[in-house]
Amino acid sequence: MPPLPHPLSLPTPSPLHLPTYLLSPTHPSLPPTASTHRTLLRSSLKTYHKTPPPHRSSHLPTILRALTTYLPYLLTLHLGLNGHAVCGELVDVVLVREVECEWSSVLSPSSSSSSSLISSAEIVGAGWKGKGKAKGRRGRKGRMKGKGMDFELCFVLMALAVTYRLLARETLRLASAASEEEKDEEGREKRGKKMNEGMKYLLQAESVHGYLAKLCSSTSSSSSSSDGGGGGGRGEGVPETNASIQEGLQELAMAEATLLAVAKDDPYALAVAKERDRSDKEWMYKAPSIPKVRASLFGRLCLAAGEHAGRAEVMLMEEVGTGGSVVVGRYAGEVRRAARGKACRCFGVDEELGGEVGRGIAWLRGGRWELGGGKGKEEGGKGWGRLKKGFEERKGEKGREKEREGDGGRGEEGRVVEMLEGKWEKVNDTINTQIIPPFEPLLAGMPSGREIHTSKPYVPPELDADILDKMRAPPDPLDERGLDDDDESSDEDGAVENRLPGAFPGRSNGSHADSEYY
């Protein structure tokens, strides 16, 4: 089963009427049009949060479309405000007064689905020094209040990266369902396509986080020089605008994509799933067969994923003032342990295919140690411990899916190591008895990791020249009024229907008096 990426929560913005803060003498329709597209984005995010969690994935394509539509207008305003040309022409944008907006935090403990990993953590500290100064103040419903176009741009890009992660998560869940329901060649092909699609989403999220890290770093450095070197230190800003946190999220996405490339062609996890499946009757007429894999190559890929996850853990855990980054940092540590344990298992498979069963068992024991499961076979437990483990194995797929969400694939890899260790020890004890060497020297002599993915830079979208020419027209009066309302009651808690007390459902306060029933 492919490990599911860490679930992050999509941020929600406050209403913002851009023509109040920005004017464009050369393209007067640009601020109102950008404000209209931001309203549509905010509406789609509100609809997403009001939807029950099992059905939220159907709204992700709509959110992605709203983000990719709003981003070119926001970037055009940002470039025009800084005096840069767009599509070869100068867009003059005048700042009437500093932009003020609010966004809910993606990395706050309350917004993270895995907030139970920490006992108590709060977002503290002062603001992000730069054009988008986040004073660390909390707006309504726990939003972070900030100033400047950079603050708005960072949160929109962060929402784009989180959307890619959630799309990858949903795609991999569908891949798991396909691998369980259809175990023939067609099911494996469908599973491979879904996993390739999820890998593509993770790589897109990785590129967006890389762009965000450069944007946050350049803004903070320019702020420090303008303040005479008195800019804020590390960990003092809003987590979404922290360059170190964005670099950590970039490394984490690369680690997950690398592990996904290995899981796509790894038959051992599927073999464990078939052993746990009580409805599977294939063993009655067909001996279980596991195809040979490029085990040594897979091991080096897993080591590279472990290196990425290790760097992500360090970068995210350094920011101790932000509880959400600690949650994701601990998850990155789980991914690192799972990747190194999988690497040991792959090296053990390579030794077993070469006839060295003893060294293969030593590698498996090293993998068990890397996973945090102890040295010996006794870790599984005897008596009550083994009985308790048997009960946990029978919790059903819902419990296993919840486990995969938080352990980075460590539990699934532990079951694979346990299955192979039991089989190989039985073979080694009965057929070809080989000495099992200690695993510590093997771990000390592990080879270097090998990369499979190349980090591609994110290319910000630009407005088409035809659309930019249309922005020279006078703005629509409806756009100038602004479509955003200031109603905050239905952001994430569900819409409150405005109806008469005791009336028939569907009857609102706006009903005509002559249509009422007496």
Side-chain angles (χ1 to χ4, degrees):
M1 305 297 167
L4 300 178
H6 182 74
L8 294 176
S9 177
L10 280 169
T12 53
S14 64
L16 177 65
H17 188 48
L18 288 174
T20 307
Y21 303 93
L22 303 171
L23 294 177
S24 178
T26 57
H27 299 76
S29 293
L30 182 58
T33 308
S35 185
T36 300
H37 287 293
R38 188 185 188 276
T39 302
L40 297 177
L41 171 62
R42 179 172 178 264
S43 176
S44 60
L45 290 171
K46 288 169 62 178
T47 304
Y48 171 84
H49 282 287
K50 287 187 292 185
T51 306
H55 307 288
R56 286 180 176 178
S57 59
S58 60
H59 295 280
L60 291 176
T62 304
I63 294 175
L64 180 62
R65 190 162 49 248
L67 283 166
T68 53
T69 304
Y70 172 55
L71 256 177
Y73 292 93
L74 178 63
L75 288 168
T76 302
L77 288 173
H78 186 267
L79 292 174
L81 197 59
N82 292 320
H84 299 293
V86 181
C87 296
E89 60 177 302
L90 184 63
V91 178
D92 189 13
V93 178
V94 179
L95 184 66
V96 179
R97 60 191 180 97
E98 197 168 14
V99 178
E100 297 182 3
C101 58
E102 296 177 4
W103 281 82
S104 61
S105 179
V106 176
L107 296 174
S108 66
S110 59
S111 64
S112 177
S113 301
S114 300
S115 58
S116 60
L117 295 177
I118 55 175
S119 57
S120 61
E122 297 178 354
I123 292 183
V124 297
W128 181 40
K129 305 295 183 178
K131 296 180 181 177
K133 296 179 181 177
K135 300 297 184 183
R137 295 175 294 172
R138 288 283 186 172
R140 284 177 291 187
K141 290 190 178 292
R143 292 199 183 106
M144 300 302 298
K145 196 170 186 179
K147 295 183 178 181
M149 289 295 291
D150 288 330
F151 185 87
E152 172 78 6
L153 181 58
C154 279
F155 268 93
V156 173
L157 288 172
M158 187 67 182
L160 179 62
V162 173
T163 304
Y164 282 136
R165 290 186 64 88
L166 294 177
L167 285 170
R169 179 181 172 84
E170 180 61 25
T171 305
L172 294 179
R173 182 181 283 117
L174 295 177
S176 299
S179 62
E180 292 167 6
E181 295 175 0
E182 304 176 15
K183 297 181 174 63
D184 54 356
E185 187 66 29
E186 183 182 354
R188 286 191 290 269
E189 183 179 353
K190 184 185 298 184
R191 175 177 176 269
K193 289 182 180 179
K194 288 293 182 182
M195 294 182 75
N196 284 331
E197 187 179 353
M199 194 188 311
K200 182 191 70 173
Y201 285 134
L202 284 175
L203 292 175
Q204 288 175 323
E206 186 267 344
S207 63
V208 175
H209 284 303
Y211 180 83
L212 259 173
K214 294 179 181 178
L215 177 65
C216 297
S217 178
S218 62
T219 308
S220 60
S221 61
S222 63
S223 158
S224 300
S225 60
S226 63
D227 292 343
R234 293 171 62 96
E236 295 183 354
V238 179
E240 288 76 11
T241 59
N242 190 300
S244 179
I245 289 181
Q246 293 298 335
E247 290 175 0
L249 293 174
Q250 180 188 12
E251 294 285 350
L252 179 59
M254 180 60 77
E256 291 171 329
T258 304
L259 285 178
L260 199 55
V262 177
K264 183 168 63 73
D265 298 323
D266 185 11
Y268 292 95
L270 289 177
V272 172
K274 289 182 68 174
E275 282 194 354
R276 291 203 310 261
D277 189 5
R278 294 188 172 188
S279 62
D280 182 53
K281 307 298 182 184
E282 187 177 348
W283 59 272
M284 294 183 176
Y285 59 88
K286 181 182 177 182
S289 61
I290 296 179
K292 294 184 178 181
V293 295
R294 298 164 292 176
S296 180
L297 174 62
F298 286 172
R300 294 187 63 186
L301 294 180
C302 292
L303 287 178
E307 293 172 1
H308 285 294
R311 287 193 289 268
E313 181 183 11
V314 171
M315 293 176 183
L316 293 168
M317 295 297 284
E318 278 182 351
E319 308 300 328
V320 294
T322 57
S325 66
V326 174
V327 173
V328 186
R330 292 184 180 179
Y331 168 78
E334 298 288 323
V335 174
R336 176 183 58 81
R337 284 185 281 272
R340 290 186 63 85
K342 190 187 291 286
C344 292
R345 189 251 298 177
C346 290
F347 292 139
V349 170
D350 186 57
E351 294 285 355
E352 193 270 339
L353 291 176
E356 298 289 338
V357 182
R359 288 176 60 86
I361 296 174
W363 274 115
L364 291 181
R365 292 180 179 177
R368 181 188 293 276
W369 185 83
E370 290 285 356
L371 292 169
K375 293 185 178 182
K377 187 178 178 181
E378 296 80 9
E379 188 66 25
K382 293 182 179 180
W384 171 249
R386 187 175 295 276
L387 182 63
K388 181 180 178 182
K389 184 178 180 181
F391 282 129
E392 291 178 352
E393 287 290 336
R394 295 180 178 88
K395 286 190 300 183
E397 181 56 32
K398 184 176 180 181
R400 290 195 294 271
E401 180 178 326
K402 187 175 181 181
E403 175 188 324
R404 291 202 305 270
E405 291 181 357
D407 69 349
R410 190 163 64 98
E412 193 77 24
E413 185 59 32
R415 283 188 282 269
V416 175
V417 170
E418 183 181 2
M419 179 196 73
L420 291 178
E421 188 177 0
K423 289 184 177 181
W424 292 357
E425 285 187 352
K426 185 179 296 184
V427 171
N428 191 52
D429 293 341
T430 56
I431 302 176
N432 47 349
T433 304
Q434 297 182 5
I435 298 177
I436 302 175
F439 65 84
E440 287 85 358
L442 297 178
L443 296 182
M446 280 198 296
S448 60
R450 179 174 176 179
E451 300 288 347
I452 188 174
H453 299 302
T454 304
S455 181
K456 297 181 179 179
Y458 175 70
V459 180
E462 291 186 356
L463 275 181
D464 294 337
D466 297 338
I467 298 178
L468 193 59
D469 288 339
K470 293 179 181 179
M471 296 296 103
R472 295 182 178 274
D476 190 349
L478 291 178
D479 292 339
E480 286 188 333
R481 289 189 309 175
L483 300 178
D484 255 328
D485 59 338
D486 200 29
D487 181 21
E488 299 292 330
S489 62
S490 61
D491 261 4
E492 299 179 10
D493 301 328
V496 180
E497 187 177 358
N498 186 20
R499 62 184 183 184
L500 293 172
F504 190 78
R507 182 68 62 94
S508 63
N509 285 333
S511 303
H512 297 288
D514 56 355
S515 64
E516 294 183 358
Y517 176 76
Y518 294 96

